[in-house]
Every structure is written in C-alpha cells, then in structure tokens.
C-alpha cells in the first residue's frame, strides 16, 4: 500500500518537475526558434531571392553578383552607396578600434594601480557609455564645427578658409575617427577592472620586492594573468570586424566619403519601408551572408592560433 | 613611555622615477578626457537654457541662461507626426523598462533550469547560447524586418515580445552565478514542502537580486539610449532618442529652436545619469566577465 503511494507521489513529483522545466524553457526556446533560427534561415534564403508582384522568387546568385560588382568594378564616388570605400573605411575604423583596445587596457591598468583620482576617473570614464550616442554626436558636431576647431584645422593644414569638417570629403573621415578615439579611450573598463581585480595582490607585491619595474609588471605579470579576458575581447573584436563603424549615420549620414559597411546595411533597411517593394534588402542579405562566412572563419582561426601559441595561465 | 616609530614605507610601494613620470603624464591625459566627458553633460544642460539665436551664433559662448526652454520642451517639442515629448517619454519608458526586464528575467529562468536541473537538452542549450553569442552574424536585420512586417509588429507595442530573448549574453552571467550557488537552501526549502516554483521565486531568485539589478540597469541604459532598432522598426512610435533625431533632422531642413533640442537632449540623459550617480558602484562592481564577484 505504502509502496504504491510512494510510487504515485514520485510520479507526481517527476511530472511537476517536468512541468517546471518546461515552463522555464518554453518561452526562450520559442523565441530562439522564431527570432534566431527562422530569421537567420530566412536571411539566407533572401540572399538568393528577389521580390516580384508582392512575393519573393528565386534569383540565383544575382544579389551576390551585384555586391561583387559594386565592390570591385564600380568607380569610387565617395557617396553613400560607394561599397568599395565603405570597405576601406570599415578596415580603417577597425584598425583604430584595435589600437584603442590596447589603449583601453592601459587606461584600466592605471586605474587598477590607483592613480591619483582613480575613483573619480572611474565614474566619469563610464559617462560615454550611459549618454545617448545621439546627444554625444550633436555635442561633437557643434564642437568640430565651432570657430575654435575649424580655425585650428585651417591653421594646421594651411588652408585658405576655415574647414566645415563634416561637409568636406577631405576631413569628414578624420572627424569620425577622432570621435572614435575620444569615446573609446576608456574602452572595456568594466571587463578589464573585473579581470584585474582577480589578480592576487601577493603576486604583484612579490614581484615588486624582487625589483620588478612597472613596464615589466604590465607585460610579464599582469598581461599573462588576464590573458583569458584579453583573448576573449580580442577575438570578439576580430570577429566583428565588419561591424566596425563610428557614429557615421548621425554625423554624416554616410556621405562625404565616410560610409562604412555596417552603416550602409543599416541605412538600406531603415529607408526601405516595404520589403516587397525593392530588392535592396535581398542585396543587403547577400552582403550579410558573405560577411558572416568570412568573419566566422576569421574568429575560429584567430582563436585556434592564439590558444595554440599561448596557453592560459592558471592561478 | 613607549614611542611609536615612524612607519617605513614598504619597498613594494616605492615608485621609480620613470614610473612617476609616466603616472604624471597619464594623470594629465586622464584629466583632459574626464573633463571633456563631464563638460559634455554641462554643455548640454547650459545650452538648453540659452537663447536659440545665440546658440546659432556660437554654441560654446556663455550667454544668458533661463529655464524657459526646459518648460517649453513639454509643449513645443513635437515631431512631424505630432508626437510630443510625453508621447516619446512614454514610448521610451515602455520599451526600455519592459524590454530589459523580460530579457533578463527569461535569461535568468533559462540559466537556472539548465544549471541546476539535469534534463535532456540542458547541455545543448548552454552550447547553443555559447555559439549564438560568439558567432558574428551580419545582415539579419533584413529578415527580421520582413518577419515583423509580415506579422504586423512594426510600429506596434507588440514589438516588446522580441525582448523575450533568453539565449543572450546575460544567460552566461546567470549560468555562472547559479552554477556556483549552493543547493543547500533549496534542499531545506524542499524538506519544508516548497515546490520548484517556490524554491526559485522565494529562495534562489532573491539571491541573484544584486546581479539581476545590475544587469537590468545596464540593459535599461542601453535600451533607453538605443535609436537604431527603434528607427527601423517603430518610426511611428518614436522613443525620446528617435524623437530627438527626428526633431534635429526637421530642424536642419526648415530651421527651428535648437535651444529646445538641447533642453530635450539634457532631459533625455538625465534619468540614466541620475541612476548611474546613485548606483555606479554597484553597477561596476556587481558584474564581471566571470559572473558575480566575491
């Protein structure tokens, strides 16, 4: 009798447990299937389709051909649809972001070493992350268009007139890059400070007693100890190479030779209210598919290379 | 009687000359950058209170300041579709508050069951999340836009359902947290007759409150400031960021009150700024890459 009751209660517990697990995973799994699996699958299909009479029909490799022609054959115009220039600008932006990645490491290192005023700096350096990019860009636009800055630029390059930086093809990119440098000075501060805080103080103290200088401390002690974070951030950066862009949309709208790939794709979606009215979304999908294949390969290769070349440090 | 000897500075704390020079240089650099970030906030506040004509002449001059335009923002800051400041504020609050709450809550639930319960697919979910957050996928906005257009979610408050994303980076934070959390409390609650839901809501979830709050705050700030998705998917339901962008774009073509623009800019940065000033320590220290700090 009691055995039957226990078996019944065990069954009940198992059923309740199953229901509990289902109630927690059902919504996120359904969301994942619709908004990740279906969307990505649909994105791949769209790359091989075009709209015709209100529905999508198979278009073969037409969209890919269009993309390749735009990149390799079209003459450089400096306009918003100049994809060749968009790639060049993306790579330039990426290079600056990588440099700023290392700068960000040093900024966080000096905060970790409790430079004078480090508490205040830590609070203020997070401001670019909490203020709207729209507000930041409007302030920045006003600053670089101010008399002070345009005259400074005029004197620096010996120009006959003051420069309107975001209306001048020669200087527009410089303005965009300068903003990236300004805003990403304290890049990844939270992640770095998390990694630095886990370094045992005894290791640093022992090294100091042994006469280790600050330069050696950074490269021979701190860097190897935060290596997992370093690799993670670097590979994440490398994997998102084609997403590299400044606030191009807000500062120039992609004009005056400042277009980047990420901004071009965004602008195309933003300016296409009806996905069945034009085939531009299919072209963007084709571009997206190509970039995904390239960047996934880069991410896997870089991670393999780094892990093979440099082992992780256990502490 | 007993004299206390002056404390010698530990050898480890002595700075070399080169380190002193580097520190001075870095300090100056930090001051310059910190000043520029802080000045941005001040400039926005101050310019919002200046006369529109004076701003057009010189955006950085010090001229008369009044709170008049700050009052007028609530009545005169209207976009081309007739949305006023309150409409935009309401949209911002709806999407930036509810969206992160749903995302963090669903991520937390998913991380909890996959880290604490053994069932078919638990390991698979962890692996899929890992792949999703590390795999760079480009150009999906086109397919997402087409889907939302087809099901009528564009320019609709139903867009909030897209926030129910449990396969996010936030899953990883909660997974690491719950994995390291002792099961003893849950066992005690189980003996006292609590069921699985009660254990989660009354025992486990409260213990993750610090992380939950920090992640929510970070995502809230991100969503509050975000403009790209809102511009694509909800141009008729503008958030404050989109409203400010629309106002500026209209102003560029037909002229307008730039004092109102900057007053609205300052009011839009005020909520995250105040929250950050209150919670910055918790926000920065509660979250680290490997989960919660000791």
């Amino acid at each position: 009798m009691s055995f039957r009751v226990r078996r019944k209660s065990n069954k009940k517990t198992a059923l309740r447990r199953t229901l509990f697990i289902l109630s927690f995973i059902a919504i996120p799994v359904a969301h994942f299937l619709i908004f990740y699996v279906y969307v990505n699958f649909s994105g791949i299909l769209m790359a091989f389709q075009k709209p015709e009479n209100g529905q999508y029909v198979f278009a073969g490799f037409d969209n890919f051909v269009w993309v390749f022609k735009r990149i390799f054959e079209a003459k450089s115009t400096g306009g918003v649809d100049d994809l060749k220039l968009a790639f060049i600008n993306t790579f330039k932006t990426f290079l600056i972001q990588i440099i700023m990645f290392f700068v960000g490491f040093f900024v966080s290192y000096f905060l970790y070493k409790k430079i004078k005023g480090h508490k205040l700096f830590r609070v203020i350096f997070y401001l670019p992350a909490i203020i709207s990019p729209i507000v930041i860009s409007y302030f920045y636009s006003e600053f670089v268009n101010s008399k002070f800055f345009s005259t400074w630029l005029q004197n620096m390059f010996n120009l006959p007139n003051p420069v309107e930086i975001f209306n001048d093809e020669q200087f527009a990119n410089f303005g965009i890059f300068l903003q990236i440098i300004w805003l990403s000075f304290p890049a990844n501060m939270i992640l770095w400070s998390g990694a630095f805080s886990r370094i045992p103080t005894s290791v640093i103290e022992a090294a100091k007693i042994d006469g280790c200088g600050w330069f050696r401390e950074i490269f021979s002690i701190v860097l190897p100890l935060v290596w997992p974070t370093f690799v993670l951030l670097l590979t994440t950066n490398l994997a998102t190479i084609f997403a590299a862009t400044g606030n191009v949309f807000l500062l120039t709208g992609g004009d005056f030779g400042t277009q980047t790939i990420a901004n071009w794709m965004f602008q195309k979606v933003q300016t296409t209210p009806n996905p069945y009215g034009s085939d531009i979304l299919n072209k963007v999908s084709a571009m997206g598919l190509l970039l995904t294949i390239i960047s996934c390969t880069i991410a896997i290769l870089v991670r393999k290379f780094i892990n093979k070349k440099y082992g992780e440090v256990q502490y | 009687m007993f004299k206390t000897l002056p404390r010698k500075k530990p050898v480890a704390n002595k700075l070399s000359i080169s380190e002193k020079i580097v520190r001075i240089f870095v300090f100056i650099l930090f001051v310059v950058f910190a000043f520029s970030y802080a000045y941005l906030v001040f400039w926005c506040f101050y310019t919002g209170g200046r006369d529109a004509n004076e701003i057009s002449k010189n955006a950085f001059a010090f001229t008369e300041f009044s709170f008049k335009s700050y009052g007028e923002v609530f009545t005169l800051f209207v976009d081309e579709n007739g949305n006023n400041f309150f409409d935009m504020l309401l949209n911002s609050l709806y999407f930036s508050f509810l969206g992160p709450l749903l995302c963090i809550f669903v991520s937390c639930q998913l991380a909890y069951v996959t880290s604490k319960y053994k069932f078919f697919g638990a390991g698979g979910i962890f692996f899929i999340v890992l792949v999703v957050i590390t795999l760079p996928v480009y150009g999906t906005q086109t397919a997402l836009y087409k889907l939302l257009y087809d099901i009528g979610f564009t320019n609709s408050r139903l867009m909030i359902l897209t926030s129910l994303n449990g396969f996010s980076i936030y899953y990883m934070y909660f997974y690491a947290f719950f994995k390291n959390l002792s099961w003893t409390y849950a066992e005690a609650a189980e003996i006292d007759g609590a069921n699985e839901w009660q254990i989660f809501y009354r025992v486990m979830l409260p213990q993750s409150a610090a992380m939950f709050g920090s992640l929510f705050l970070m995502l809230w700030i991100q969503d509050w400031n975000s403009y790209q998705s809102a511009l694509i998917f909800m141009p008729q339901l503008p958030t404050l960021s989109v409203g400010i962008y629309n106002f500026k774009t209209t102003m560029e073509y037909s002229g307008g009150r730039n004092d109102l623009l900057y007053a609205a800019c300052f009011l839009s940065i005020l909520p995250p700024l105040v929250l950050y000033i209150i919670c910055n320590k918790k926000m920065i220290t509660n979250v680290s890459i490997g989960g919660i700090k000791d």
Side-chain angles (χ1 to χ4, degrees):
Chain A
M1 186 75 176
S2 69
F3 176 71
R4 196 178 283 175
V5 170
R6 201 188 300 157
R7 242 178 66 177
K8 231 181 179 178
S9 101
N10 276 350
K11 259 189 173 176
K12 213 177 154 187
T13 312
L15 184 70
R16 200 181 63 206
R17 211 179 141 100
T18 311
L19 273 175
F20 171 73
I21 292 169
L22 278 175
S23 72
F24 272 36
I25 66 166
I27 292 174
V29 168
H31 181 282
F32 173 73
L33 291 175
I34 298 167
F35 292 106
Y36 191 86
V37 178
Y38 174 78
V39 162
N40 277 300
F41 184 69
S42 170
I44 295 169
L45 273 183
M46 276 176 80
F48 297 94
Q49 291 174 324
K50 64 179 177 188
E52 221 174 72
N53 302 324
Q55 53 180 319
Y56 281 140
V57 293
F58 185 65
F61 287 92
D62 289 359
N63 298 319
F64 294 92
V65 172
W66 183 90
V67 169
F68 279 114
K69 274 188 177 171
R70 273 298 173 115
I71 298 169
F72 297 107
E73 284 180 19
K75 274 187 181 175
S76 193
T77 58
V80 288
D81 286 322
D82 189 340
L83 288 186
K84 193 186 281 181
L85 192 65
F87 266 100
I88 294 168
N89 286 337
T90 300
F91 291 134
K92 281 181 184 170
T93 309
F94 175 71
L95 193 69
I96 291 166
Q97 285 180 348
I98 287 292
I99 293 167
M100 293 316 289
F101 167 80
F102 289 102
V103 171
F105 171 81
F106 283 103
V107 168
S108 297
Y109 170 77
F110 281 104
L111 289 174
Y112 159 70
K113 293 305 284 181
K114 294 185 175 147
I115 195 167
K116 207 174 178 143
H118 65 100
K119 281 184 184 167
L120 186 66
F121 286 136
R122 203 182 283 271
V123 173
I124 296 178
F125 282 176
Y126 199 61
L127 283 179
I130 62 159
I131 297 174
S132 159
I134 289 188
V135 177
I136 293 176
S137 295
Y138 292 166
F139 164 80
Y140 183 74
S141 277
E142 292 281 11
F143 176 72
V144 294
N145 285 324
S146 67
K147 204 177 167 192
F148 163 75
F149 192 81
S150 51
T151 316
W152 174 78
L153 218 58
Q154 182 191 3
N155 293 335
M156 194 159 168
F157 291 94
N158 279 326
L159 299 166
N161 298 310
V163 182
E164 265 194 72
I165 196 163
F166 289 128
N167 289 324
D168 190 324
E169 208 162 304
Q170 197 188 340
F171 290 101
N173 255 334
F174 168 71
I176 303 264
F177 297 152
L178 201 64
Q179 199 208 29
I180 298 172
I181 293 168
W182 176 51
L183 293 178
S184 53
F185 180 72
N188 304 316
M189 199 175 68
I190 291 187
L191 296 179
W192 282 131
S193 66
F196 288 147
S197 68
R198 287 194 294 274
I199 296 175
T201 41
S202 55
V203 177
I204 303 285
E205 275 170 14
K208 281 265 177 197
I209 290 164
D210 288 346
C212 175
W214 66 276
F215 192 78
R216 197 143 177 228
E217 182 188 304
I218 296 175
F219 292 100
S220 304
I221 298 168
V222 175
L223 193 58
L225 289 175
V226 296
W227 192 246
T229 309
F230 192 88
V231 172
L232 180 79
L233 290 175
L234 196 65
T235 43
T236 313
N237 264 303
L238 282 166
T240 52
I241 178 168
F242 299 112
T245 182
N247 281 324
V248 175
F249 178 72
L250 297 169
L251 297 173
T252 60
D255 217 341
F256 302 104
T258 59
Q259 189 61 290
T260 56
I261 291 299
N263 191 60
W264 179 79
M265 294 206 284
F266 166 71
Q267 276 185 315
K268 290 300 154 202
V269 185
Q270 194 237 333
T271 51
T272 311
N274 180 2
Y276 298 96
S278 140
D279 63 350
I280 193 67
L281 292 189
N282 303 83
K283 283 160 178 153
V284 174
S285 291
M287 171 75 93
L289 187 59
L290 284 173
L291 299 182
T292 301
I293 293 166
I294 298 168
S295 54
C296 282
T297 315
I298 293 173
I300 292 164
L301 289 178
V302 169
R303 202 167 172 88
K304 264 191 175 173
F305 171 77
I306 292 179
N307 283 341
K308 204 175 172 185
K309 193 97 178 157
Y310 313 95
E312 286 184 4
V313 177
Q314 298 292 325
Y315 61 94
Chain B
M1 298 279 276
F2 296 104
K3 262 189 178 176
T4 43
L5 290 166
R7 276 180 74 181
K8 273 187 179 175
K9 252 190 166 182
V11 183
N13 284 348
K14 272 190 179 172
L15 301 176
S16 64
I17 295 172
S18 69
E19 191 171 354
K20 274 181 188 167
I21 294 167
V22 170
R23 274 181 176 245
I24 290 168
F25 173 74
V26 171
F27 178 76
I28 294 166
L29 206 64
F30 277 22
V31 169
V32 171
F33 274 89
F35 174 77
S36 68
Y37 300 147
Y39 180 68
L40 188 164
V41 178
F42 168 75
W43 178 85
C44 204
F45 163 70
Y46 185 74
T47 311
R50 288 177 61 205
D51 179 66
N53 292 327
E54 294 289 341
I55 300 169
S56 302
K57 278 183 209 160
N58 185 354
F60 290 90
F62 283 91
T63 52
E64 204 185 325
F65 176 89
S66 84
F67 282 101
K68 201 178 141 217
S69 33
Y70 279 97
E72 288 175 345
V73 161
F74 298 102
T75 49
L76 299 179
F77 191 80
V78 182
D79 74 358
E80 53 190 8
N81 295 320
N83 294 296
N84 63 27
F85 188 84
F86 285 109
D87 297 328
M88 298 170 197
L89 186 67
L90 193 75
N91 292 335
S92 274
L93 284 172
Y94 175 77
F95 286 107
S96 68
F97 185 81
L98 209 55
L101 195 68
L102 291 175
C103 176
I104 302 280
F105 188 68
V106 165
S107 301
C108 177
Q109 283 188 321
L110 190 66
Y112 175 70
V113 281
T114 49
S115 63
K116 289 296 183 196
Y117 290 85
K118 277 185 185 165
F119 62 94
F120 178 75
I125 289 175
F126 177 83
F127 178 74
I128 290 170
V129 177
L130 199 66
V131 171
V132 166
I133 61 171
T134 48
L135 208 67
V137 181
Y138 294 92
T140 51
Q141 271 184 332
T142 53
L144 182 62
Y145 182 75
K146 184 178 161 274
L147 172 69
L148 296 174
Y149 180 89
D150 287 343
I151 58 176
F153 272 26
T154 47
N155 290 314
S156 157
R157 292 199 190 279
L158 287 172
M159 262 293 292
I160 202 72
L161 294 176
T162 58
S163 304
L164 287 163
N165 179 16
F167 288 64
S168 63
I169 180 90
Y170 307 106
Y171 167 93
M172 285 298 174
Y173 286 104
F174 283 112
Y175 188 89
F177 175 77
F178 285 125
K179 200 81 188 162
N180 294 324
L181 193 65
S182 166
W183 190 244
T184 325
Y185 292 112
E187 269 173 354
E190 214 169 6
I191 292 164
D192 288 347
N195 62 35
E196 282 80 1
W197 285 275
Q198 286 167 327
I199 291 170
F200 175 72
Y201 288 111
R202 293 190 182 168
V203 181
M204 305 307 258
L205 188 62
Q207 294 189 69
S208 70
M211 170 169 282
F212 196 105
S214 300
L215 289 176
F216 170 75
L217 219 60
M218 286 170 86
L219 194 56
W220 177 79
I221 289 173
Q222 197 181 305
D223 278 15
W224 178 268
N225 291 331
S226 150
Y227 67 95
Q228 292 201 331
S229 299
L231 210 54
I232 292 176
F233 304 119
M234 307 173 295
Q236 311 289 326
L237 281 176
T239 56
L240 261 180
S241 289
V242 172
I244 289 169
Y245 170 78
N246 288 340
F247 190 82
K248 164 97 168 158
T249 314
T250 316
M251 215 176 78
E252 274 171 7
Y253 291 108
S254 52
R257 301 264 310 265
N258 46 12
D259 56 331
L260 281 185
L261 173 77
Y262 292 120
C265 280
F266 182 72
L267 291 176
S268 81
I269 64 172
L270 209 54
L273 202 64
V274 171
L275 264 176
Y276 176 66
I277 289 166
I278 298 168
C279 315
N280 74 79
K281 231 178 187 177
K282 283 195 172 152
M283 249 173 82
I284 291 175
T285 52
N286 273 349
V287 177
S288 72
I289 201 159
I292 204 152
K293 273 173 59 182
D294 299 324

